[in-house]
Amino acid sequence: MIWSLIILCGVITFLIRFVPLSGIISSDLPLSVKQSFKYIPLAVLTPIIVSDLSIMENKNFFIIDNFKLYAALIATLAALIWNNVLATISIGMASFLIMSNF
Amino acid sequence: MKKWKIFKQGVLEELPLQLGVFPFGVIYGVMAIESGLTFLQALLMSSIIFGGASQIAFVQLLSNSSPFGVIVTTVGAINSRHLLYGISMVEYLNKLSLSWRVMLAYLLTDEAYAVSIRKFINNSDNSILHYHLLGSGLTLFVSWQISTLFGVLIGNDLPEFLDLQFIIPLTFIAIIVPMIKSKSTLLTVITAGISALIFKNLDINFWIILSGLFGVLAGMFTIRLDKK
């Protein structure tokens, strides 16, 4: 079942890349449709981040001792300053480890 | 000879970007093994899907036992921006044979696009420009496969105290923060985030997709703010 899922995702990803080059669709999409594309990755990745930070568990807010939340805020700052994937992850992870162990 | 030269140029221009790509591939490999995928599944996903952020989202959702429909839709949504890449490149590639277009479509990722579109725009009368995209795309492909292999191999050997699942939101933060360049993109993030808190706690199955939809709508409704 996992294999089918991987292959299905692969086919969809390939089709997204191939369809414009195939000539099937017009390259002249409405402006509003083109504009919407820039928001999609942000709009889909943010819920995953929010969910992983466990800000709300069992319908209760979990903020005060939520070290992941604080580490994520520090990582956001690092991303703003350095714009580097490795630096962001390293600083976020180090902050989390320090806060949860001391 | 000229084809080889332009191919090599694509390779060389793509190489510096691998400093960012390689660790990302290693992280994917580690997370894939952590999520319970087999060695082969984790490794081959990098050539079957060949899309960094979407692969990490895939393994994250899989480890949370998300419905398969959510996984497929999320992967498609994350990679949907590649549709725009194709649209902006079609005028340079539409005279190529089908096999060429299939191959280049497969290689059309963020980093290859970023490097080659500049070349295309500055040399629009050159009929062998596609060799540049072949060079940049293949470089990224090779780097992604090697880094995945590296991550998959060390995936089981990392110390227990590292909460590896936490790498996923950190990776996504690293990806989205540079994309927040305007008020409308910021409002997209805020709306998608708040919606996720609400919909997930209402136990709605497709909460990621629904939150994403609200985020996109927020961006589109507030796009006028960017022009002021």
Side-chain angles (χ1 to χ4, degrees), chain A residues 5-16:
Chain A
L5 187 61
I6 295 173
I7 290 167
L8 182 60
C9 288
V11 169
I12 288 171
T13 301
F14 173 75
L15 286 178
I16 289 169

Side-chain angles (χ1 to χ4, degrees), chain B:
Chain B
M1 196 61 196
K2 212 177 166 196
K3 290 174 186 169
W4 170 243
K5 194 179 158 195
I6 203 160
F7 171 81
K8 213 165 73 177
Q9 198 180 3
V11 172
L12 291 176
E13 287 178 14
E14 185 65 31
L15 275 177
L17 275 74
Q18 304 319 300
L19 282 174
V21 170
F22 204 87
F24 196 34
V26 175
I27 288 162
Y28 157 71
V30 170
M31 298 318 307
I33 293 297
E34 284 282 310
S35 76
L37 288 183
T38 64
F39 176 87
L40 212 57
Q41 286 167 340
L43 195 62
L44 290 186
M45 197 203 290
S46 275
S47 42
I48 296 173
I49 299 180
F50 189 33
S54 63
Q55 287 178 228
I56 293 187
F58 182 115
V59 296
Q60 194 271 356
L61 294 172
L62 190 69
S63 59
N64 286 351
S65 312
S66 300
F68 283 8
V70 170
I71 299 178
V72 173
T73 317
T74 304
V75 167
I78 291 171
N79 290 331
S80 62
R81 66 193 183 282
H82 296 163
L83 198 70
L84 277 189
Y85 299 168
I87 289 170
S88 69
M89 280 193 156
V90 68
E91 62 178 296
Y92 307 101
L93 306 174
N94 58 6
K95 291 194 176 66
L96 296 176
S97 66
L98 182 66
S99 53
W100 260 107
R101 281 180 286 149
V102 166
M103 183 167 58
L104 293 178
Y106 173 73
L107 295 172
L108 193 55
T109 51
D110 295 323
E111 291 80 3
Y113 172 80
V115 164
S116 291
I117 190 68
R118 271 185 307 189
K119 181 77 181 169
F120 283 23
I121 290 168
N122 296 328
N123 303 270
S124 56
D125 58 339
N126 195 329
S127 59
I128 54 167
L129 280 175
H130 51 286
Y131 281 91
H132 191 278
L133 180 58
L134 182 67
S136 60
L138 276 180
T139 305
L140 186 79
F141 177 80
V142 171
S143 160
W144 187 245
Q145 306 310 317
I146 296 173
S147 55
T148 296
L149 177 64
F150 201 69
V152 166
L153 289 174
I154 62 168
N156 281 330
D157 297 327
L158 290 172
E160 293 261 327
F161 69 88
L162 288 173
D163 185 348
L164 291 174
Q165 284 292 329
F166 188 47
I167 292 179
I168 292 177
L170 292 175
T171 309
F172 288 157
I173 286 171
I175 293 173
I176 71 162
V177 168
M179 292 164 84
I180 306 171
K181 289 180 177 159
S182 59
K183 288 175 189 160
S184 68
T185 47
L186 179 64
L187 284 165
T188 297
V189 168
I190 293 171
T191 309
I194 294 173
S195 307
L197 279 180
I198 298 168
F199 294 137
K200 193 183 177 195
N201 279 278
L202 289 176
D203 293 326
I204 296 174
N205 255 349
F206 281 72
W207 61 272
I208 292 183
I209 309 302
L210 203 56
S211 312
L213 192 65
F214 273 68
V216 171
L217 288 175
M220 292 187 71
F221 278 123
T222 56
I223 197 163
R224 256 172 285 162
L225 296 173
D226 299 344
K227 290 169 187 158
K228 283 180 183 169

Side-chain angles (χ1 to χ4, degrees), chain A residues 4 6 10-11 26-27 42 51-53 59 61-62 72 86 95:
Chain A
S4 319
I6 295 173
V11 169
S26 159
S27 58
L42 287 168
S51 161
D52 282 354
L53 296 181
K59 299 186 170 54
F61 276 104
F62 171 47
L86 197 57
S95 315

Side-chain angles (χ1 to χ4, degrees), chain A residues 2-51:
Chain A
I2 298 289
W3 277 114
S4 319
L5 187 61
I6 295 173
I7 290 167
L8 182 60
C9 288
V11 169
I12 288 171
T13 301
F14 173 75
L15 286 178
I16 289 169
R17 292 170 184 164
F18 177 68
V19 164
L21 301 184
S22 70
I24 297 169
I25 59 162
S26 159
S27 58
D28 220 11
L29 287 175
L31 184 65
S32 57
V33 176
K34 284 186 180 176
Q35 282 172 337
S36 71
F37 283 116
K38 75 171 172 182
Y39 299 115
I40 296 175
L42 287 168
V44 175
L45 295 178
T46 305
I48 297 178
I49 297 172
V50 169
S51 161

